[in-house]
Amino acid sequence: MNGTRPLDGGGGPPRAITVRGATEHNLRSVDVEIPRNALTAVTGVSGSGKSSLVMDTICREGQRRYLETFSAYVRAHLWRIGRPVARGIDGLSPAVAVDQRPLAHNPRSTVGTLTQLHDFLRLIFARLGSRPARPGDPPLERRLFSWNSAHGACPTCRGLGVSERIDPELLVADPARSLRQGALAITTPGGYLMYSQVTMDVLDQVCRAHGFTVDIPWRDLTGEQRSVVLDGSDRIRILCGKHPLESRLRWTGITPRPREEATYGGVLPVMERILTRKRNRSILRFARSLPCATCGGSRLRPEALLVTLQGQNIGELSRLSIRGLGAHVARLRFGEVVTPVASPIMTEIVRRCRLLDELGLGYLTLDRPSTTLSAGEAQRIRLAGLLGVSLRGLLVVLDEPTVGLHPRDRGRLGRFLRGLRDRGNTVIAVEHGLGEVLEADWLVDLGPGAGRGGGEVLHSGPPRELLGEAAGAAARSITRSFLTGGSIAFPAAPPAPGDGALVVRELTRNNLKRITAEFALAALNVVTGVSGAGKSSLLSELAARLDPDADAVERPSGADRIDKLIVVDRSPIGRTTRSNPATYTGLFDQVRELFAR
């Protein structure tokens, strides 16, 4: 074992996780021992084999062995985990992986449900909530306060908290044009106004009944005249149908039916009726997601919102931040009879809020959708769940837990990981941060290069011992060069002067407060800030406003200089087992073409 130190377990329980002959991916028959009940950092350049060792070998085997303890019937209904390629792995505990994958895109998931704080609120409202007495009220049960239950979900938005409504502003393609010229984006090349159910000439009859025509520019129409076109009119009866009779008579194989006489129904009512039946993608281009008018975005039915706890309903508490909820619950006081019931629930809410706040998540509101969380926020919520269940004896594996974190937040995370270790868990983290590496109990460094040039253990021992080693495998460690301030040269290229600016104004996404941001064109721009400052929200909103198909209110100035928008995030590139880097990049298409020739 080049660069490694053996851990003599002696008698009793194993002191180390021992891996022998691991050849998963690019690992070169790796032998290594990692101490149990310690915090271990695994380092190395990108592609050196860190994830292959930690995630694909150690963690996978720990999960596989845990699943093997279930009965054959249970295992048949669980996913199958393949055995990693290694001669032997000993000293494992049940493994839990906390990686950087985004949370599931479930529109019903919120920060409150992910952290289980909403579950405790449901419990305390079901037990101690009060409401005005009304005949026929349902009993106070936890399901009444769940939007995932038919007993609690708002009947209008079905528990989603938002409703998609057509925004008339998005229908306007060019206000300088008239209706006949295509002022509205739903005008077909043949001059038919989609969803109006009438021809342009018939629509002109309706407009003339109100004192205007379809040949007046849209911007010159009054609000009442625009409403006639969009919302309908019952002033005159017309022949409905988008094809006149003379067109129908030219059809072959179809028997034309006479058009029906009725009043003009308008464009918006027809579009909204279609949208209630199915999520029509053509119509969704002109829709905005707005808070549900019935529940105000709380997702719950009116009967649930009538229940209060010392003057506030559960929807109002869900709009608080995690930090604010903890402070509010800590101030609640109950009578002697109720306190024994309320105290355990309140204590757990305050404890979880404090834990999440220590992880730098106190700014998140409980009602924030999980789909808006960054990968780092999602990972720390998963970490908080590990301490929330008070488990011991676990193998906790983390994939770059500090990536994307501001230095202020890294210290908080380090204290949290050491707390997991102190409770009797083994923690292994793929890590790159200088401070986090040096503060670990043990360091495993892989390398020296990437791919075929890596996969070798260069050091296994206390981190500071690597700094003093200058011979053997450690001498080839790029990590050692970095830690000692050695032979790594950073390019001193001058910043590009830029060529104009891209400016976005009035950004209000998530916690952004009507900010204006400027980016230099033809230059490298960097967005920084502490966790939760709004970095991901800023870039997401910028990308949304640059998207030519987006429903943006205002395009950024300088957007006409952008030819193409490419978004690179942490989402998986694909989930099919038939995909690999060659197929994803299109390289294999060239290989197949070459062999076909």
Side-chain angles (χ1 to χ4, degrees):
M1 291 189 301
N2 259 345
T4 68
R5 169 194 290 187
L7 295 169
D8 183 13
R15 292 179 51 199
I17 297 172
T18 304
V19 179
R20 298 183 301 277
T23 57
E24 192 74 30
H25 301 318
N26 64 322
L27 297 180
R28 297 161 62 181
S29 193
V30 162
D31 295 345
V32 69
E33 291 186 343
I34 297 174
R36 291 171 54 86
N37 302 328
L39 172 58
T40 298
V42 179
T43 59
V45 298
S46 180
S48 60
K50 303 183 298 298
S51 295
S52 297
L53 174 64
V54 175
M55 306 299 293
D56 299 330
T57 302
I58 297 176
C59 182
R60 190 204 301 175
E61 181 65 4
Q63 292 176 334
R64 188 190 69 81
R65 292 186 184 181
Y66 174 67
L67 293 179
E68 287 293 321
T69 64
F70 289 97
S71 67
Y73 174 80
V74 174
R75 293 200 308 270
H77 293 79
L78 297 174
W79 71 94
R80 296 181 181 274
I81 297 180
R83 187 187 299 269
V85 184
R87 288 199 311 273
I89 305 174
D90 299 315
L92 287 173
S93 302
V96 177
V98 184
D99 55 22
Q100 288 279 348
R101 72 183 188 278
L103 293 166
H105 293 286
N106 185 351
R108 296 182 177 276
S109 177
T110 67
V111 169
T113 59
L114 287 174
T115 59
Q116 298 183 331
L117 287 171
H118 186 73
D119 295 332
F120 287 102
L121 289 180
R122 290 168 52 207
L123 181 59
I124 198 170
F125 268 83
R127 291 185 176 180
L128 304 175
S130 59
R131 63 181 172 191
R134 297 192 316 179
D137 278 337
L140 290 187
E141 301 175 305
R142 283 194 294 175
R143 63 182 184 177
L144 178 63
F145 305 100
S146 171
W147 51 79
N148 291 318
S149 166
H151 297 272
C154 170
T156 301
C157 65
R158 298 180 177 88
L160 294 176
V162 295
S163 58
E164 290 166 331
R165 280 170 269 174
I166 309 300
D167 187 341
E169 292 184 5
L170 299 177
L171 292 174
V172 182
D174 187 351
R177 295 183 179 182
S178 67
L179 287 168
R180 196 186 298 275
Q181 293 172 330
L184 301 186
I186 54 176
T187 309
T188 67
Y192 167 66
L193 194 62
M194 295 171 60
Y195 312 110
S196 68
Q197 300 183 330
V198 295
T199 64
M200 188 61 68
D201 289 337
V202 173
L203 179 60
D204 188 51
Q205 296 175 25
V206 176
C207 295
R208 290 180 183 277
H210 288 267
F212 68 103
T213 71
V214 296
D215 297 305
I216 299 175
W218 182 262
R219 64 186 176 192
D220 295 335
L221 299 179
T222 65
E224 182 179 350
Q225 291 170 341
R226 294 176 184 177
S227 178
V228 169
V229 178
L230 298 176
D231 301 316
S233 167
D234 58 1
R235 183 162 296 186
I236 63 172
R237 296 183 68 82
I238 55 172
L239 293 174
C240 296
K242 65 179 182 179
H243 298 288
L245 182 59
E246 52 271 21
S247 296
R248 294 163 172 241
L249 291 174
R250 289 197 296 266
W251 295 349
T252 59
I254 301 176
T255 303
R257 292 189 307 171
R259 290 184 291 174
E260 299 178 354
E261 187 178 274
T263 58
Y264 173 59
V267 172
L268 295 181
V270 175
M271 297 177 74
E272 288 168 354
R273 278 200 304 272
I274 296 174
L275 204 55
T276 57
R277 295 196 302 268
K278 61 179 180 179
R279 293 178 56 81
N280 184 292
R281 295 185 63 180
S282 297
I283 295 179
L284 285 174
R285 294 181 299 151
F286 310 107
R288 291 190 191 280
S289 292
L290 303 173
C292 174
T294 301
C295 66
S298 70
R299 302 169 178 254
L300 295 170
R301 63 173 54 250
E303 293 86 344
L305 298 177
L306 286 175
V307 182
T308 60
L309 184 70
Q310 296 194 1
Q312 289 187 294
N313 64 36
I314 193 171
E316 292 169 328
L317 294 186
S318 295
R319 286 193 285 272
L320 296 175
S321 66
I322 291 174
R323 187 181 301 119
L325 176 69
H328 174 79
V329 172
R331 292 192 298 266
L332 293 178
R333 295 293 180 268
F334 297 93
E336 292 184 7
V337 177
V338 178
T339 295
V341 178
S343 182
I345 307 174
M346 294 167 55
T347 300
E348 184 61 21
I349 291 176
V350 172
R351 187 187 74 84
R352 287 181 180 247
C353 288
R354 184 179 298 119
L355 173 62
L356 289 161
D357 196 18
E358 289 174 357
L359 280 172
L361 299 172
Y363 59 90
L364 293 175
T365 59
L366 267 68
D367 62 354
R368 179 164 169 175
S370 64
T371 53
T372 67
L373 297 176
S374 68
E377 290 168 335
Q379 186 182 52
R380 280 177 286 158
I381 286 178
R382 293 192 189 101
L383 281 172
L386 293 179
L387 277 186
V389 293
S390 303
L391 291 176
R392 300 173 184 273
L394 289 176
L395 168 61
V396 182
V397 176
L398 303 105
D399 188 10
E400 302 186 25
T402 60
V403 66
L405 281 185
H406 193 274
R408 187 199 71 172
D409 300 309
R410 290 186 172 186
R412 294 175 173 176
L413 184 59
R415 290 192 296 271
F416 180 87
L417 296 181
R418 290 190 289 275
L420 273 177
R421 173 204 62 190
D422 295 342
R423 293 173 60 178
N425 298 297
T426 302
V427 183
I428 304 177
V430 175
E431 190 52 79
H432 294 290
L434 173 62
E436 289 71 27
V437 169
L438 294 178
E439 290 178 4
D441 304 313
W442 198 260
L443 172 64
V444 175
D445 185 52
L446 296 174
R452 293 184 178 180
E456 180 183 346
V457 176
L458 305 178
H459 173 80
S460 179
R464 297 193 179 274
E465 285 189 2
L466 178 62
L467 305 183
E469 294 182 14
R476 296 180 289 139
S477 170
I478 297 178
T479 302
R480 181 182 180 278
S481 298
F482 176 76
L483 293 176
T484 57
S487 59
I488 296 181
F490 293 95
D499 183 16
L502 185 70
V503 183
V504 282
R505 298 179 175 85
E506 299 291 313
L507 299 184
T508 57
R509 192 186 189 106
N510 297 330
N511 59 324
L512 298 179
K513 300 174 181 177
R514 300 184 66 181
I515 70 169
T516 295
E518 181 175 321
F519 301 88
L521 290 169
L524 174 64
N525 296 266
V526 177
V527 180
T528 62
V530 298
S531 179
K535 306 182 295 295
S536 297
S537 298
L538 171 60
L539 293 181
S540 296
E541 182 65 17
L542 174 63
R545 295 196 177 193
L546 286 174
D547 188 344
D549 297 325
D551 301 338
V553 176
E554 178 186 357
R555 294 272 290 170
S557 63
D560 56 315
R561 302 274 306 278
I562 304 296
D563 295 326
K564 188 176 183 180
L565 171 68
I566 301 174
V567 178
V568 182
D569 57 18
R570 296 175 187 165
S571 59
I573 63 174
R575 298 187 181 275
T576 173
T577 56
R578 296 178 182 273
S579 177
N580 58 45
T583 59
Y584 183 79
T585 59
L587 176 62
F588 196 66
D589 294 341
Q590 305 298 323
V591 175
R592 290 191 299 121
E593 178 67 22
L594 183 62
F595 271 80
R597 290 178 184 176

